[in-house]
Amino acid sequence: MIRVIVVGNGMVGYKFCEKFVAKSGQEKYQITVFGEEPRRAYDRVHLSEYFGGKTADDLSLSTTEWYEQNNIILNTSELITDINRDVKTIHTHLGKTHTYDYLVLATGSSAFVPPIEGVEKEGVFVYRTIEDLDAIMSYARKIKQKGATEAAVLGGGLLGLEAAKAVRDLGLNPHVVEFAPRLMPRQLDQGASDMLQSKIEELNIGIHLNKATQYIDGKESITGMMFANDELLKVDMLVISAGIKPRDELARVSGLEVGVRGGIVVNNQMRTSDPSIFAIGEAALYNQNIYGLVAPGYEMADVAAEQILNGDKTMRETIDMSTQLKLIGVEVASFGDPFIENEHVTAIVYENKLSGIYKRINVTKDSKTLLGGILVGDSSDYNSLFQIYNNGMALPKNPEDLILGSRDGSEGSSLGSVMDLPDTAVICSCENVTKGSICCKILDESCATFSDVVKATKATSGCGGCKPMVSDLVKATQKSLGKEVKEVICEHFSYTRQELFDLVKINKYENFYEVLDHHGKGDGCEVCKPVVASIFSSIYNDTANKHVTTQDTNDRFLANIQRNGTYSVVPRVAGGEITAEKLIVIGEVAKQFDLYTKITGAQRVDLFGAHLSDLPKIWKILIENGFESGHAYGKSLRAVKSCVGNAWCRYGMDDSAGFAIELENRYKGIRSPHKLKGGVSACIRECAEARGKDFGLIAVEGGWNLYICGNGGANPKHAVLLAEKIDKETVIKYMDRFLMYYIRTAGPLIRTSTWLEKLDGGLEYLKQVIIEDSLGICETLEAEMQTMVNTFECEWKQVLEKPRLMKRFNHFVNSDEKDDNIAFVPLRDQKMPKAWS
């Protein structure tokens, strides 16, 4: 047997093993892996999810059985200390010696710790391994018990901002300290960085730029960071995430060539200065660069495996560093050359400070070639832009349409469909999976579903950013073969939501397990249970109280859970109209139960910080004073926003407030695949933002214009005109039909805008169904909606009238006590959560 030893059991070391055993000829080789950490290889890309409850096993890239099945010997908790290149042996810290024919150094990198006086003090950590995270969590609990609240992260790059989110999730107030004058200086220009900074600061995360840390203050443990000019930032913990340095110690002691600034020098075959030794991942110095992204590391692993098996694959000369991710809830992406500026290039920039969106693309002066770009706040265009850039595709007549959308009715992007891409187009950069390889897997019938493609090609298994494009490619390819493409709910039901909706309605099923027994398998999961509960509500107008065990947390407790384990209370204020008496009641409730109050964009008063056991007491007072549940926790109608209308406004052309109240009261409580929002404006000045809602009405000469399928959020969509100059009776008729058709046919958690985009025939087909009754179902849709309207019940009123439903609102099963771990800190004249629980 030919002996291959892999030093390093990280993501790239594991990927080498995975690539190697999948290739022909590997049967003659024995792979032995050494890792100094005490566990199997795990996913460092999603390491921050460890703070969200994922375990080390959840993050693991494989099982022990996988190594055994592939005849790979895995040694954990064993450090390689020396290489004897003359006799081809390695030595471990346990005193053992092993012989190799080929050696692969996948030692990765370690956290770079700047030479700052005092970094050895207690309370200073790096953010690199699961053990690091365990230590951070343990210390955070310790200092919180002493009343400490402040923590800093040194480094404003990708990893630094991930660490800041982790610190925030631990219930501490994070401060990001960055030496450079902007956040993410390697990926973002000044405008994009400013936008990212403003979005992060909205989350009460402090940003400190242009800061050179002189020393760590404190005796034995950290109490602060002293910057230049004697500026002190008082903190109780510090997480250092200021970059990486390659783990090249073994290369140095064994005489391999290393770079001036570190890194094991390799050629395009991943061979070091010793042809029997390869280096891959963040330990390797290729073209004088260390690449800190997973995609280049995976490509290096594949090249090294090919070379050992006598293949001819080599590394590309230019490594693309494009990336798409979500940082502290903010979408960020960059591709190509994001900073290029010269006389041959034009930068096109779109900036919307109100929505927190910044987009920049760099194109040649002749408007023919896309060179790179940056997206902050909305990265939905990333996949299309990257494919246009990566494949040198032609740009539209107006290149700005790529980020602004078309304004003349034509396609905004020259990438009309994923099928327009050449077969050589790389769909998944992490695994280097092309469009052609995915299509071939589907065409030879070895892959029929998205899951099959993922299993066969490993596409989407890295950062996951390519999932939408892979999904679209699977559907388009199957459709081209004349095959039915179904978006099944989950592994327990081989049906779409629409099919399951029909099965429940026809067979008159009334509980989840009845549906599962007849049409599913297994025990169900957290995906399908809420979907089936939603279907029951959509058919029978069942409230969440009837299917408590299958609801998610928010619907189970009829309130949105907040980040410290308390709940929100949101009574309905139809159309935003409220009497002085009801306002006083809300104020008295907030005062009695010490709740944070906020007037929202939906024209309601939200109350935050309610203990679980207080919810029935609060709602008892509200319901006795004429309030109803606002369904802020449900996939249902949230609110219908309105302006004051012609009752007060001199520009108003109709009673928008009255119509908004009528519509909200008509559709309140109706469960749907996704939340619904409406708006009614009395004139084209649009004070109610009706065209940014799932349904919106604007008063015009001759009646109302009805708009549908818009939304705000991360990917805002303008609603489109369904009908114009119609009277109120017609509005309600079309609305009944539209909402019921959407409820019947949309997939789980699909917004109306996405549903319309995916609907065959689009808006014109929908007009035929809703207005022209082309399917002959409009009478049925109207009747179903009227049944919903006639059978509405307030869920909270149900709870108060039925003592058995009250039992679920005790925090402890055997006690009426409240959770004493919940704590708050002052926020302006109110309060906010102190800790995440």
Side-chain angles (χ1 to χ4, degrees):
M1 295 288 281
I2 302 172
R3 295 157 296 191
V4 179
I5 290 180
V6 181
V7 182
N9 186 34
M11 293 182 73
V12 174
Y14 168 77
K15 185 56 63 175
F16 170 85
C17 296
E18 188 181 75
K19 294 283 189 184
F20 197 93
V21 298
K23 297 180 185 295
S24 60
Q26 56 87 20
E27 302 83 3
K28 301 175 183 178
Y29 294 77
Q30 170 65 62
I31 298 178
T32 303
V33 180
F34 290 89
E36 62 185 74
E37 291 189 62
R39 54 177 55 84
R40 303 183 303 277
Y42 56 89
D43 184 355
R44 293 188 198 274
V45 173
H46 298 100
L47 189 60
S48 61
E49 294 178 15
Y50 190 67
F51 289 101
K54 281 201 172 183
T55 66
D57 280 342
D58 293 332
L59 293 171
S60 182
L61 295 173
S62 64
T63 62
T64 302
E65 289 73 24
W66 181 86
Y67 288 94
E68 294 171 353
Q69 291 164 3
N70 289 286
N71 194 32
I72 298 173
I73 300 171
L74 174 63
N75 301 281
T76 57
S77 300
E78 193 162 0
L79 176 68
I80 308 303
T81 58
D82 188 33
I83 304 171
N84 188 327
R85 292 165 50 203
D86 294 331
V87 294
K88 291 190 173 182
T89 59
I90 61 166
H91 308 282
T92 80
H93 81 290
L94 300 177
K96 297 178 182 179
T97 299
H98 299 267
T99 303
Y100 67 85
D101 294 296
Y102 293 102
L103 183 64
V104 180
L105 300 179
T107 47
S109 62
S110 58
F112 169 68
V113 179
I116 300 171
E117 181 185 344
V119 291
E120 73 288 347
K121 286 184 168 63
E122 183 184 25
V124 179
F125 303 89
V126 294
Y127 188 85
R128 192 68 182 159
T129 68
I130 285 179
E131 284 69 34
D132 293 333
L133 270 58
D134 283 334
I136 290 170
M137 288 191 290
S138 176
Y139 195 77
R141 286 192 295 268
K142 175 183 173 182
I143 62 175
K144 283 197 297 182
Q145 289 174 354
K146 298 179 180 179
T149 60
E150 308 302 309
V153 174
L154 185 61
L158 295 175
L159 289 176
L161 295 177
E162 283 283 335
K165 180 184 184 301
V167 168
R168 179 175 174 268
D169 288 351
L170 290 172
L172 298 173
N173 299 326
H175 299 263
V176 176
V177 178
E178 169 58 46
F179 179 76
R182 65 177 188 264
L183 295 174
M184 293 181 64
R186 294 186 178 182
Q187 290 85 14
L188 304 182
D189 63 8
Q190 190 64 54
S193 181
D194 289 345
M195 188 66 73
L196 177 62
Q197 180 177 342
S198 67
K199 297 284 283 184
I200 292 176
E201 287 177 333
E202 287 176 3
L203 301 172
N204 294 318
I205 295 176
I207 304 295
H208 308 265
L209 304 175
N210 278 317
K211 299 300 181 186
T213 306
Q214 302 300 303
Y215 62 86
I216 306 301
D217 201 28
K219 293 184 179 180
E220 295 184 357
S221 59
I222 181 174
T223 58
M225 301 172 67
M226 182 62 74
F227 302 140
N229 303 321
D230 295 328
E231 181 185 353
L232 179 66
L233 175 65
K234 293 184 178 181
V235 293
D236 308 289
M237 184 171 76
L238 171 63
V239 178
I240 296 177
S241 187
I244 59 173
K245 60 178 182 179
R247 293 286 303 275
D248 56 12
E249 306 95 309
L250 273 177
R252 292 179 184 276
V253 299
S254 60
L256 293 174
E257 183 182 357
V258 296
V260 175
R261 297 185 177 180
I264 308 167
V265 176
V266 294
N267 60 15
N268 64 356
Q269 299 176 336
M270 293 296 101
R271 295 180 192 268
T272 68
S273 53
D274 184 328
S276 297
I277 301 178
F278 296 77
I280 58 177
E282 292 173 344
L285 183 69
Y286 175 61
N287 284 346
Q288 297 302 310
N289 284 301
I290 299 292
Y291 299 97
L293 296 178
V294 68
Y298 282 4
E299 186 176 353
M300 291 177 181
D302 194 32
V303 169
E306 279 277 332
Q307 289 293 327
I308 292 173
L309 290 166
N310 299 313
D312 57 6
K313 182 173 183 177
T314 58
M315 282 292 290
R316 292 170 293 172
E317 187 68 22
T318 302
I319 304 298
D320 184 72
M321 296 296 285
S322 301
T323 185
Q324 179 188 25
L325 63 161
K326 183 174 272 192
L327 293 168
I328 321 182
V330 182
E331 294 181 13
V332 178
S334 66
F335 63 94
D337 190 336
F339 303 122
I340 186 169
E341 289 184 1
N342 57 52
E343 66 274 17
H344 305 296
V345 178
T346 296
I348 302 173
V349 177
Y350 167 73
E351 184 176 27
N352 186 330
K353 292 184 178 180
L354 184 64
S355 301
I357 294 173
Y358 178 94
K359 298 182 180 184
R360 166 179 169 169
I361 54 172
N362 303 319
V363 301
T364 52
K365 287 284 187 183
D366 59 9
S367 299
K368 292 183 177 180
T369 306
L370 180 62
L371 302 173
I374 301 169
L375 306 169
V376 173
D378 175 13
S379 63
S380 58
D381 296 326
Y382 170 78
N383 281 323
S384 295
L385 290 170
F386 177 75
Q387 292 300 336
I388 293 169
Y389 154 76
N390 201 40
N391 294 286
M393 299 174 69
L395 303 188
K397 179 181 178 181
N398 300 310
E400 63 269 23
D401 289 352
L402 291 170
I403 55 175
L404 296 178
S406 172
R407 285 142 295 159
D408 60 6
S410 61
E411 287 291 330
S413 167
S414 59
L415 182 60
S417 164
V418 68
M419 295 300 284
D420 294 337
L421 293 171
D423 286 345
T424 54
V426 176
I427 302 296
C428 175
S429 299
C430 295
E431 292 288 346
N432 198 30
V433 181
T434 64
K435 173 202 166 188
S437 63
I438 292 175
C439 290
C440 285
K441 290 292 184 184
I442 299 170
L443 292 171
D444 67 15
E445 299 191 351
S446 63
C447 296
T449 66
F450 175 84
S451 298
D452 292 338
V453 169
V454 172
K455 187 175 181 180
T457 66
K458 298 294 181 181
T460 79
S461 61
C463 70
C466 62
K467 282 183 180 179
M469 191 162 281
V470 173
S471 178
D472 288 345
L473 186 56
V474 172
K475 293 173 191 173
T477 307
Q478 291 283 31
K479 193 171 181 180
S480 71
L481 295 172
K483 294 183 178 180
E484 182 184 9
V485 181
K486 295 204 305 184
E487 293 186 11
V488 299
I489 291 174
C490 69
E491 62 189 80
H492 302 110
F493 288 98
S494 298
Y495 299 97
T496 64
R497 183 186 182 278
Q498 184 178 356
E499 290 172 333
L500 208 56
F501 183 102
D502 292 337
L503 287 169
V504 171
K505 185 170 184 178
I506 292 169
N507 293 288
K508 299 181 179 178
Y509 299 128
E510 293 189 357
N511 69 72
F512 173 78
Y513 294 103
E514 195 176 11
V515 181
L516 188 67
D517 290 342
H518 286 90
H519 303 287
K521 59 185 178 181
D523 298 319
C525 64
E526 297 308 308
V527 173
C528 60
K529 287 179 179 179
V531 170
V532 175
S534 171
I535 288 172
F536 289 142
S537 295
S538 296
I539 294 173
Y540 307 121
N541 214 16
D542 287 343
T543 67
N545 294 319
K546 187 170 181 180
H547 307 282
V548 171
T549 58
T550 55
Q551 305 284 4
D552 61 22
T553 299
N554 289 343
D555 274 305
R556 189 173 300 138
F557 298 117
L558 309 181
N560 283 326
I561 190 169
Q562 304 302 312
R563 70 182 181 93
N564 68 334
T566 59
Y567 292 82
S568 65
V569 173
V570 187
R572 186 171 301 285
V573 179
E577 184 177 276
I578 188 168
T579 64
E581 288 78 11
K582 284 190 174 182
L583 270 176
I584 290 169
V585 171
I586 289 177
E588 288 174 342
V589 166
K591 190 173 182 180
Q592 179 178 341
F593 293 93
D594 191 22
L595 304 177
Y596 170 91
T597 60
K598 186 180 189 303
I599 296 174
T600 72
Q603 298 179 330
R604 303 192 291 196
V605 181
D606 288 9
L607 311 172
F608 294 90
H611 288 262
L612 181 64
S613 57
D614 282 341
L615 289 175
K617 303 171 191 174
I618 293 169
W619 276 106
K620 184 175 186 297
I621 297 171
L622 291 172
I623 287 173
E624 286 175 348
N625 285 275
F627 286 101
E628 293 175 337
S629 170
H631 288 89
Y633 47 82
K635 298 297 180 283
S636 56
L637 180 69
R638 297 296 176 84
V640 180
K641 188 173 184 178
S642 78
C643 59
V644 295
N646 63 1
W648 292 91
C649 179
R650 60 196 173 103
Y651 298 111
M653 301 188 70
D654 212 319
D655 181 13
S656 57
F659 201 12
I661 293 168
E662 182 179 348
L663 292 173
E664 184 164 344
N665 284 328
R666 180 171 183 80
Y667 301 122
K668 62 187 179 184
I670 293 171
R671 297 290 170 143
S672 53
H674 205 288
K675 64 185 176 184
L676 295 168
K677 297 181 179 181
V680 183
S681 290
C683 72
I684 58 172
R685 287 170 176 78
E686 256 283 67
C687 293
E689 301 159 345
R691 291 190 63 195
K693 304 289 192 291
D694 296 279
F695 62 88
L697 291 153
I698 300 177
V700 295
E701 286 285 353
W704 296 92
N705 284 356
L706 172 58
Y707 296 86
I708 59 169
C709 300
N711 62 256
N715 299 306
K717 301 286 184 182
H718 260 129
V720 293
L721 183 65
L722 180 70
E724 57 184 331
K725 297 182 179 179
I726 55 178
D727 59 25
K728 287 176 62 174
E729 183 180 353
T730 306
V731 167
I732 291 173
K733 180 168 65 175
Y734 289 173
M735 280 287 302
D736 285 357
R737 296 172 180 180
F738 158 64
L739 289 175
M740 283 309 305
Y741 191 58
Y742 162 66
I743 289 168
R744 274 186 168 205
T745 60
L749 302 180
I750 298 296
R751 300 196 78 148
T752 54
S753 59
T754 307
W755 168 71
L756 181 58
E757 287 172 358
K758 297 186 178 213
L759 190 66
D760 284 343
L763 179 62
E764 290 309 310
Y765 173 75
L766 188 60
K767 285 182 178 180
Q768 292 170 15
V769 174
I770 300 303
I771 299 175
E772 300 171 20
D773 197 14
S774 60
L775 300 180
I777 62 173
C778 285
E779 186 177 340
T780 301
L781 296 176
E782 291 173 30
E784 289 177 348
M785 178 59 76
Q786 193 58 50
T787 299
M788 295 286 191
V789 174
N790 294 342
T791 56
F792 167 78
E793 286 188 81
C794 173
E795 291 173 330
W796 267 109
K797 187 177 181 183
Q798 279 185 335
V799 170
L800 296 173
E801 291 174 346
K802 298 178 181 179
R804 63 181 178 82
L805 298 178
M806 300 273 283
K807 294 179 180 178
R808 69 179 186 267
F809 295 97
N810 284 342
H811 186 83
F812 301 104
V813 175
N814 57 354
S815 172
D816 293 331
E817 295 294 320
K818 296 179 181 179
D819 182 1
D820 58 7
N821 290 314
I822 292 175
F824 299 91
V825 294
L827 175 66
R828 294 175 283 278
D829 292 328
Q830 299 196 69
K831 66 180 183 179
M832 65 176 284
K834 178 181 179 182
W836 184 291
S837 57

